[in-house]
Amino acid sequence: MHAVLDVPLSAPDVPTRLRAYLDDHAPTTPCLLIDLDVVRANYRAIRAALPEAAVFYAVKANPAPEVVRALVVEGSSFDVASTGEIDLCLAQGATPESLSYGNPIKKAADIAYAYGLGVRRFTFDSEGDLENLAVLAPGSRVSCRFIVDAPQSGTPFGRKFGCDPDMAIRLLARAADLGLSADGACFHVGSQHTDPAAWVSGIAEAARIARALGECGVPTRSLNLGGGFPTGYATPAPPLEVHAAAIRAAVAEHFDTAPELLIEPGRAVVATAGVIRSEVVLVSRKCDTDTHRWVYLDIGRYSGLAETENEYIAYRLLTAHPATPDGPVIIAGPTCDGDDVIYQHTSYSLPLALRAGDHVDILDAGAYTASYSSVSFNGFPPLPTLFVG
Ligand SMILES: *Cc1c(COP(=O)(O)O)cnc(C)c1O
């Protein structure tokens, strides 16, 4: 079930500025270095590719205050999932109007807290959450997340979020009855989605929901397309423009009146802005005839590389041994946990010259890394983030 990729040994360079910083400052490893100029450039590229959509940055992808602050200055809005993310965004200068509480799984007390701070946009996918919203966030704009029937993404959500589209119609009608503003439907195709057709089937379904509601006297106005825009890791991903064109064509085809579009990119804003510098702890073989070397890094599943679970995300790796012979490796983290193996099914090659103490740079690692690292599993501290730009 695992795609076998021949991950190129000589991956393209770490962005020059990041590498220069790492070489000059020689920070303690592992660490994540973020180039805030790249965050800004990615945000602007998304705006340029889909200017008709309002951008709500999904904070969980990289909640560093510096990243949020840079995006506030760019004029971004924010998709938040908890009271902690609300506090974080407000502390960095975001206005409550620019926040959308997009997590359909929330405590009543957290709805009340958000409403008290001025948040007026919420997503729900169940009757229970809708009833809480009606009482604790009266008059707010609400959208209903439905389960999109699309091919699997790189890091699928399964059936945890969303409801059946017919249920979404019923719940949005109920939302209007309860005095809420029934904004429209929303979906998320799953993170790291490389197939633009995924958005197309979601848009067709959302249009059917909007039409059904219109026919029963509940006009809706928006369509939230979620996130999922992919980053090229070991395998390249289609550029944003391809997704934008598919989205634009599908909206024109399925909607009679163009809805207000919202998107919630996370990964696409921050992934390429970051590089993790790690260090080789040990290179070993399990027997004298072992064809694979085991390369143990000072970072693993529990200190930032959570998305290597199931080997969903295959990062490009860069060492300081360019153009030397390489051989197959299994790559693992430093903890005493049997699951802390990063890649054993995905085929990776690293230089035969690689030794303990050498650096391994993990590219495009700005999304879903630092915030996933554990507090101190096995005594390894959380992944620190440094910034340039
Ligand atoms: C995680 C998440 C996103 C961001 O997804 P990406 O794949 O990083 O773009 C957007 N919206 C919601 C509701 C999410 O949970």
Side-chain angles (χ1 to χ4, degrees):
M1 67 175 278
H2 293 279
V4 176
L5 308 163
D6 231 339
V7 177
L9 161 66
S10 302
D13 275 359
V14 176
T16 327
R17 178 149 82 150
L18 293 183
R19 195 158 58 164
Y21 180 96
L22 291 169
D23 291 345
D24 291 351
H25 292 75
T28 304
T29 68
C31 65
L32 168 65
L33 180 61
I34 294 281
D35 188 336
L36 293 170
D37 282 349
V38 178
V39 173
R40 294 181 194 101
N42 287 343
Y43 174 82
R44 289 176 196 175
I46 292 166
R47 293 281 301 134
L50 208 58
E52 62 271 53
V55 176
F56 286 70
Y57 169 63
V59 173
K60 76 176 187 291
N62 189 320
E66 291 83 351
V67 168
V68 171
R69 176 80 203 146
L71 292 168
V72 167
V73 173
E74 289 297 309
S76 183
S77 295
F78 297 88
D79 168 52
V80 293
S82 62
T83 57
E85 286 186 350
I86 292 170
D87 290 343
L88 163 70
C89 290
L90 295 178
Q92 294 311 312
T95 61
E97 300 76 49
S98 71
L99 306 186
S100 168
Y101 199 148
N103 188 349
I105 315 297
K106 48 194 169 305
K107 294 180 178 177
D110 294 349
I111 296 172
Y113 181 85
Y115 187 81
L117 290 173
V119 177
R120 294 292 181 271
R121 279 179 191 267
F122 297 85
T123 295
F124 68 93
D125 68 2
S126 66
E127 191 121 33
D129 194 39
L130 173 61
E131 283 169 359
N132 285 341
L133 288 167
V135 175
L136 299 165
S140 292
R141 301 176 65 163
V142 295
S143 60
C144 185
R145 182 157 165 184
F146 66 90
I147 300 177
V148 63
D149 184 18
Q152 267 208 356
S153 78
T155 60
F157 282 123
R159 291 179 63 81
K160 179 172 176 184
F161 303 107
C163 61
D164 178 80
D166 287 330
M167 187 171 182
I169 296 169
R170 183 173 69 73
L171 291 181
L172 281 164
R174 177 107 202 279
D177 282 347
L178 290 170
L180 293 160
S181 168
D183 237 18
C186 66
F187 63 91
H188 192 305
V189 294
S191 202
Q192 184 61 11
H193 214 302
T194 51
D195 182 358
W199 280 272
V200 173
S201 53
I203 289 165
E205 194 64 74
R208 188 178 73 81
I209 293 170
R211 209 172 308 115
L213 283 162
E215 282 162 11
C216 54
V218 181
T220 54
R221 54 174 160 172
S222 78
L223 168 58
N224 184 335
L225 301 164
F229 304 98
T231 293
Y233 292 101
T235 30
L240 264 175
E241 288 69 23
V242 172
H243 298 282
I247 287 168
R248 193 170 293 125
V251 170
E253 179 185 343
H254 295 286
F255 278 84
D256 303 328
T257 322
E260 283 173 28
L261 289 184
L262 287 72
I263 54 174
E264 300 171 340
R267 187 186 305 279
V269 178
V270 287
T272 59
V275 59
I276 288 172
R277 174 150 286 187
S278 71
E279 185 181 296
V280 176
V281 177
L282 178 72
V283 182
S284 69
R285 292 182 198 266
K286 297 297 172 189
C287 65
D288 292 338
T289 53
D290 206 343
T291 53
H292 284 73
R293 288 162 300 149
W294 282 70
V295 172
Y296 299 89
L297 300 178
D298 62 0
I299 186 170
R301 175 82 64 79
Y302 303 104
S303 41
L305 300 182
E307 286 208 302
T308 60
E309 188 174 357
N310 298 316
E311 308 194 18
Y312 279 145
I313 299 295
Y315 294 103
R316 292 179 297 152
L317 306 178
L318 191 67
T319 73
H321 298 280
T324 58
D326 61 276
V329 290
I330 292 169
I331 304 173
T335 66
C336 293
D337 183 300
D339 284 331
D340 191 9
V341 176
I342 305 169
Y343 300 117
Q344 55 187 330
H345 303 291
T346 313
S347 126
Y348 270 84
S349 284
L350 285 172
L352 296 171
L354 197 68
R355 296 287 178 270
D358 288 350
H359 290 145
V360 174
D361 289 336
I362 303 169
L363 308 193
D364 303 318
Y368 302 113
T369 48
S371 59
Y372 262 138
S373 71
S374 70
V375 177
S376 192
F377 177 56
N378 244 187
F380 293 95
L383 184 67
T385 308
L386 310 170
F387 300 91
V388 293

